Amino acid sequence: TVGDIGTERPELVGQSGVAHTALRPSGVAVIGGQRVDVVTEGALIERGANVKVIVVEGARVVVRQV
């Protein structure tokens, strides 16, 4: 598609990973062996915590601690 920069990642929904940095509320998680820029629903998540992708809104990947 013209103008598509490949930022949408719908395949991540439902996948689990680990917070690579503290998420306050944004940061980096490792999901499926890849570093992904993520944001939480608002809560602070400590580095090393298990997270799950709950929704992808465009380029925004939202995670929740599990």
Side-chain angles (χ1 to χ4, degrees):
T1 306
V2 175
D4 182 10
I5 57 172
T7 56
E8 293 192 25
R9 311 277 304 270
E11 71 280 2
L12 293 176
V13 174
Q15 291 193 32
S16 297
V18 176
H20 185 68
T21 63
L23 308 180
R24 37 177 124 205
S26 64
V28 177
V30 177
I31 301 168
Q34 295 184 341
R35 289 173 54 135
V36 180
D37 291 323
V38 299
V39 64
T40 72
E41 297 172 288
L44 169 67
I45 297 177
E46 297 294 334
R47 180 176 191 243
N50 293 321
V51 295
K52 183 174 185 176
V53 178
I54 57 168
V55 68
V56 175
E57 301 167 335
R60 199 173 103 135
V61 178
V62 182
V63 298
R64 175 183 293 157
Q65 187 168 354
V66 292

